Every structure is written in C-alpha cells, then in structure tokens.
Amino acid sequence: MFKVFSIGRRRVGALSRLCAALAAGLCATLAAAEVQAAATTGLWVTPLEIDFGPVGVGMTSAQATVTITNYSAVTLNNFAGGGLGAPFDVSQNCAAGVAPGGSCQYFFTFTPTAAGDFSAASSTSTNLGNISINVHGRGVGAKVVYDAHSLDLGAVYLGNSATQQVVTLRNVGLATLTDFAGGGLSLPFSVTQDCASGVPPGGSCHYYFDFSPVSAGSYTGTSASSTNGGPVTVDVKGSGSSLIFGAGQRVSPLSLDFGPVGVGATSQQLKVEIHNQSAFSTISSFAGGGVASPFSATQDCAAGVPTLGSCYFYYTFAPASVGEFTATSNVSDSYGSFSILLHGTGVAPAQNVTPLWLDFGPVALNTASPFQTVTITNTGMGPLSGWTGGGVGAPFYAIQDCAGKILQPGESCSFSYRFTPTAAGFYTAQSNVSTSAGSFTVLLQGGEHPSDYSLGVTFSGTGSGTVASTPAGLACGASCSSPFPAGTPVALTATPGEYSLFGGWSGICTGIGTCAVTADADKSVTAIFNENTASRAKIGSVLFSTLSLAYAAASSSATDTILAWGVEFVEDLTCGEGKDIILKGGYNGDYSSNTSGYTSLQGVLTVGKGSLTVERLVIL
C-alpha cells in the first residue's frame, strides 16, 4: 500500500497549501514546512506508526518500542487508556509517572490468530495531552506446495515392489503446516509420510509411494490429503506384469509444480526420471522436450538409456513477471512419446517498512538530533532492488545504506533521519522512496507541538475516489491532511470515482459508513477504493467483467451491441462463433456517454467467423 500523508499540529494556512499541492499531484517529496507554534503539550512520542509486517498465524512478532519523553516542567502522569485488543498487545512502564526530562516506554507485539490485515490505534490520555500510536500487521497462514502431482510406478513383476518414489512437500507460508489428514491408498499401492509432527515455515516433509502388485493388470489411484495449508493430491499409476523382464519405459513424475517463485529469482531444479524397463534393448533417438521461458529444460538422455538404466530431464522456473504459468514438455524416443506438465507461480516483490512516522521532538537551535532509523526488510520470495528517492530538505537530513543493494529474501537495509532546526517552529517532511516492490513514505516531524491536531487521509486500492470532511478542511482525491482544533468532532465521507467502488476504511475507522473521529491527537485513516470490475461491459442491462464474457453471451441470431467502459481490458478477444457484433467503447461509468473516452484492449483481437464493428476502441 502506498501511503502519503502529512502530519503534525499546525496553522490552517500552511496546511491548506500543502493539501492543495498534494491533491493536484504536484509534490513527490515535500520540503520541510515551518509552522508557528501556538502552544506546547510537553509530550514527545516516537515513533507514531509501526508496521509489524507479515507474521505467521499463532506466532508473535518481535517487540516494537515507543518512547514517550516529558519535556515540560511538571511530572507527566495520569496515564489512562492505551490498551489494544487481539491480535495486538501493549504493555508500558509509564504508570508511575515521568519526571521532567525523563522518558518511559510502550511495548507492542502482534500475535495474529487468523490470516489477514490488521490495524489499530493505541489512544492514551495524560495530564499533558493525548497520545495516539498506529499499529499494523498481517497474519499469514501455512501454505503447502509439492513438487510432483502425478507418478508412474511402472511395470512390476508380480510379487515384487516398485522402486519407491518420493514427493516433497514444502511449507511456503509463515505458520506451522499441520493437521494432515487422509492421503491413504488402496492396495496394491501404499503411502507413508514423515509430515504428521508438523512442518515449520520454510521446512519440508515427504510422502513415500510404493507399489506391490500380486495380480496382472493396470492400476490407478489418488492420494488426497488435507492440511491447514491446503490440499495435497497425487495421482499414481502402475501395472502388474507376469513377465520377469519388463518392457517399455517408466517416466515419472509426469507433472511438476514449482510453487510460488519470486520475480527475478530461479526455482530449485526438479527432475523427471526416464527408466528403461527392458533387459534387451536401449532407448535412443530422444527428440523434443524444450520449453519456453519462464521455464527451462536440460537433459542427460541424448546418448541413450541402457537396459534397466535411467536418464533424467531437468527443469527450472524463473519468472520475470507476476502470474500463473504452465507449459508442456513433449518428448519422443525410440520407445514412444511422453509429456511432462509444468506449473509455477510468479510472485511480486514484497517489503515491510517500519516505523513509518517519526517525531524528533524539541531540539535546540543549530543542534542535530540523534538519528532515528527505519528498517526495510525483503518479505518476498525474490530479490528487492530499484531504490530511488528518500531525500528530504532542511532542517531534516537522511542517510541510507540501501542504494545499489539487491536484498535477498529476509535481508534488510535502513534509512536514518535526523533533525537540525535553525529557527523556532514545528516542521514536517515526507521521505518518499520507490523500490521494485512499490513505494513507501516515511513521515517526519520535529519541534514544539502547536495545539491543533492533524487528521490525515491516505488512499489505497486499485480504484479512485474522494474524501471530504464535515466541518470543512479535508477535500481531496489524493493523500492529504488538515488541522482541526482540539476536541473537534470530524465526519469523513468517501465518494467512489467513476469506475470504482468504496471498499471501506482502515486504521482509526472500519466499515463503509461515515468515519467519525475526534481531534484529540494526530490521526490518520486510509480510504480504500477498488476498481468496479463487475460492470466493465454490458449488453442491454446485463453486466460483464470482460469483453470475452460479453461476446460469449451475445445473441447468435441477431446483431448485439456491446458497450464498454473507457478502461483497459487485459485479455485476448476471439470472435469466432459466427455472431454479428457491434462493440462501442469509451463509455463513462453510467453508460450515458462515450464522446470523450476510449476503451483499450491489451491483447490479441481475432475475428474469425462472423463480423465485428468497433467504435472508440484502441488495441495495444
């Protein structure tokens, strides 16, 4: 999620100019804005926003600490509130009071009991003012992937056993893989496993398959298991033979799954065995087997396979983009032909950034504050790179050790910031950084706090919309903020854009109704707008999500007109069913006009049998 908002308590004039600039898209990285202080609360709290990132269900995050400093002339006491419900937890050592110049701490952890995104705000009142600390985290469950989905145990002489074949299961989630149930097979197959005790994140276990026929014939079976990380289904086949010496070849496994692999990374190598079951002739004349990117194939079979010997085809998966990928490796040899099915999933880079909001408090003029550090961790499955931005203007300063680095999964780098004021006042800035995993913003503030409180709105999701406040102050379609006098009740209303739906609030508000808050601390909320994918095209009053679905539903006996929104459709459109279709693009959200827009098709348009007349359509 890309987060940009300005924070701090400040005068209306400066912030109005700030919000206007943000709403117009004119600011990428903000210079510090000096604001005249109206009053001092005597509280300095940092950091103000923490993101625990992905944490396994049932596990507890590392502890995050927030420091509260008393820079007033009286004791800081009367702490009330601050508690959080599950899956967050908070403790503190502040209850006894904090002397002038002293500090205390709040300690936060995150223990998700279910998968999903979680946010909360810890709100505390004191004799010197209110404290609000935003916390976020993502619960991630177990997820099972397994390398072979189909096994051939070959032809086996009656009363003997096939060579055991092994399927490896990997846990690519963040919670322990457990709750194994089922998976058994009927004779003459059998299966055992070493998974029942559970598989930790990143770990693996195995299913062992055997085949011992006592009667001639062909046999098939399916081992179907359930786990807390998804199902495991392996098809098996084999044949019982009354001949001591077999014939033909055994190819296994017949289906390989590489599971999720990060974009820019390469999977582990998986192999398929070609075993010569004959004691009298060799396998020769291998041809084919090649596969297109993002898969690759090599083999050691070209010299042939001697009697009762084996060779191997080796496959890897190296996605350059996000998505599901499949391929078939078709091979022929002197014994016949076979096909190997390949599957893999390209996964986008991912990062966790914490903390996201830093306060340097009051600092003597011309004196540099201590550095505060933000850590960026690669939480994805592939490399994280492409660092740009992050700079800030005076009186803030930034250094970092990320530029030029390629972080492998689990590795981290950091940005560090300090504050050196040369004139009295309250200052804010944003450090905007882009990476191959997306963008993030670190919010900075320093100086003595004025008495107004700031309410910030960020935007998330695939769509667009606007947020407005009552009383007036906030009205924007991009991230912005506005000050409100302490104690003011504020109502925020979200309005989706033309092709969008409002998905709800996150942060200090939830649900899809009006967000009601009180200006008793600096706060922020995220408005989620998602693209309305269900209404992108229509025939008459029937709505469709894709042009292909609309074409499929069109009449075969009369000319139908498909109306399409002025958005991009990523699909291949094949018109080959003998239908006569008129396709009109560029429509607005209520389909009342298409005079100013165009529909774009990113894909292949094929017109076979029938006719297609288009209007305001661009093919990319």
Side-chain angles (χ1 to χ4, degrees), residues 306-334:
T307 58
L308 304 179
S310 296
C311 70
Y312 297 89
F313 273 66
Y314 305 92
Y315 300 92
T316 57
F317 173 55
S321 59
V322 175
E324 301 281 335
F325 298 89
T326 59
T328 302
S329 176
N330 297 306
V331 183
S332 64
D333 58 33
S334 58

Side-chain angles (χ1 to χ4, degrees), residues 546-613:
T546 68
L547 296 176
S548 296
L549 290 175
Y551 178 84
S555 172
S556 299
S557 59
T559 299
D560 257 343
T561 299
I562 299 174
L563 306 184
W565 274 352
V567 297
E568 182 179 278
F569 289 79
V570 182
E571 60 178 297
D572 294 333
L573 176 59
T574 301
C575 303
E577 298 179 16
K579 300 176 180 180
D580 297 321
I581 301 296
I582 299 173
L583 173 57
K584 295 183 177 182
Y587 275 88
N588 57 9
D590 62 2
Y591 288 101
S592 62
S593 173
N594 71 337
T595 58
S596 60
Y598 289 87
T599 296
S600 60
L601 176 64
Q602 183 174 325
V604 178
L605 173 61
T606 304
V607 181
K609 188 178 180 181
S611 66
L612 177 67
T613 303

